[in-house]
């Protein structure tokens, strides 16, 4: 059961907290990174975002008819969302006929939603439609330095990359039993990246965008998505530190990870 708040005010506050945490992780330099939350259109939407205009969606989103997506604006610093949420965040409401309305406040500081809105929207639509979600669904794009650096180390598959970051702390496999998906480099904002992200997030809650960043999703709010990012980033940090010291550390053995899996009844196919 989701614990995500459903009011615009509460969600904006949580988006601000998520942005602040990503800033602490150095995962959203300047205007990098973006956050969105899709939810059935709330009663307090017009109060928070009183201005509106017609807009064109970057793609069809039939499962989101009657829903609204709160999304950070292009070029907005995630560290500033908490202090001025209505300046940094747009609200895109989707009607049954596929048309959309862009809602905003008087202190709007953006020209358009994030340039990666196409991926956010497509992931929300796929998750809501395929899984029948009825409550808020969150998507976070960030650029955590250790994960990004690790993604530069040549071609990798999802299982190999996951095992690199899951082998350093016992709790990581508990929190990320499906590991992470790994996507080869694709142009940011592209249709190809959008489609690969939708497919990847059906299997895992994080997909790595090689040489760029990642996309994470959560049914429990943007802060939970950031928690997952933090677990993965910590694993990548230990992997980097081990490489820097000559790969002297063994990390958890497969048998040790399997013991954790058995003790916590973790469902995973990675070990």
């Amino acid at each position: 059961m989701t614990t995500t708040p459903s009011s615009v005010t509460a969600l904006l506050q949580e988006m601000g907290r998520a942005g602040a945490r990503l800033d602490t992780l150095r995962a959203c330099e300047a205007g990098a990174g973006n956050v969105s939350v899709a939810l059935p259109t709330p009663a307090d939407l017009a109060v928070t975002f009183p201005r509106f205009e017609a807009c064109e969606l970057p793609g069809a989103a039939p499962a989101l008819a009657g829903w609204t997506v709160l999304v950070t604006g292009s070029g907005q610093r995630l560290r500033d969302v908490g202090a001025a949420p209505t300046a940094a965040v747009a609200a895109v409401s989707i009607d049954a006929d596929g048309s959309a309305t862009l809602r905003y406040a008087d202190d709007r500081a953006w020209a358009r939603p994030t340039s990666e809105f196409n991926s956010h929207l497509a992931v929300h639509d796929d998750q809501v439609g395929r899984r029948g979600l009825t409550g808020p669904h969150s998507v976070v794009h960030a650029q955590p330095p250790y994960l990004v650096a690790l993604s530069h180390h040549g071609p990798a598959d999802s299982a190999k990359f996951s095992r690199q970051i899951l082998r350093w702390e016992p709790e990581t496999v508990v929190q990320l039993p499906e590991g992470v998906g790994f996507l080869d480099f694709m142009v940011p904002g592209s249709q190809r990246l959008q489609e690969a992200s939708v497919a990847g997030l059906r299997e895992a809650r994080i997909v790595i965008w090689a040489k760029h960043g990642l996309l994470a999703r959560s049914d429990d709010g943007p802060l939970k998505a950031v928690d997952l990012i933090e677990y993965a980033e910590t694993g990548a940090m230990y992997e980097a530190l081990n490489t820097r010291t000559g790969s002297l550390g063994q990390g958890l053995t497969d048998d040790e990870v399997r013991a954790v899996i058995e003790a916590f009844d973790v469902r995973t196919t990675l070990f």
Side-chain angles (χ1 to χ4, degrees):
M1 179 180 294
T2 181
T3 58
T4 310
S6 58
S7 76
V8 171
T9 300
L11 284 170
L12 289 176
Q13 290 174 345
E14 187 168 337
M15 290 172 74
R17 291 166 63 198
R21 184 59 191 145
L22 289 171
D23 183 57
T24 302
L25 294 172
R26 297 182 299 162
C28 56
E29 67 277 8
N34 30 75
V35 179
S36 69
V37 182
L39 72 162
T41 299
D44 60 340
L45 182 66
V47 175
T48 310
F49 296 102
R51 309 299 181 189
F52 59 91
E53 60 190 49
C55 69
E56 185 174 344
L57 294 175
L64 297 180
W67 285 52
T68 291
V69 181
L70 305 176
V71 58
T72 48
S74 180
Q76 297 303 294
R77 301 178 186 90
L78 292 188
R79 61 179 175 265
D80 294 340
V81 174
T86 57
V89 176
V92 180
S93 297
I94 299 126
D95 296 325
D97 63 1
S99 62
T101 301
L102 180 66
R103 299 183 180 273
Y104 55 94
D106 289 333
D107 60 347
R108 167 179 172 174
W110 41 269
R112 63 191 65 83
T114 172
S115 60
E116 283 152 349
F117 185 44
N118 62 326
S119 290
H120 284 256
L121 185 70
V123 170
H124 288 307
D125 183 67
D126 183 71
Q127 291 291 320
V128 170
R130 199 169 52 83
R131 296 169 55 217
L133 299 179
T134 58
H137 181 259
S138 301
V139 172
V140 174
H141 166 57
Q143 297 171 187
Y146 288 104
L147 283 165
V148 173
L150 189 60
S151 78
H152 279 266
H153 290 186
D157 59 40
S158 297
K160 176 183 176 181
F161 196 93
S162 294
R163 288 166 69 93
Q164 284 180 295
I165 63 177
L166 293 178
R167 70 187 183 119
W168 293 107
E169 290 187 331
E171 58 264 44
T172 312
V173 73
V174 178
Q175 298 296 329
L176 291 168
E178 69 277 13
V180 299
F182 186 92
L183 306 179
D184 291 328
F185 178 78
M186 301 174 208
V187 175
S190 66
Q191 179 77 14
R192 185 170 171 237
L193 181 58
Q194 169 195 314
E195 293 173 354
S197 297
V198 168
L201 287 172
R202 291 173 182 167
E203 306 299 326
R205 289 170 293 165
I206 295 177
V207 288
I208 304 298
W209 289 353
K211 305 179 182 180
H212 178 181
L214 56 75
L215 207 64
R217 64 168 179 83
S218 172
D219 299 345
D220 296 310
L223 270 176
K224 180 59 178 180
V226 174
D227 285 346
L228 299 177
I229 293 169
E230 191 167 359
Y231 280 113
E233 174 71 348
T234 300
M237 178 190 70
Y238 282 121
E239 183 75 12
L241 291 174
N242 190 49
T243 300
R244 190 178 302 165
T245 56
S247 299
L248 299 176
Q250 180 185 38
L252 296 166
T253 66
D254 284 1
D255 285 344
E256 288 168 337
V257 177
R258 291 188 190 106
V260 174
I261 290 169
E262 182 177 356
F264 289 87
D265 193 26
V266 177
R267 297 184 179 182
T268 180
T269 60
L270 291 170
F271 293 89

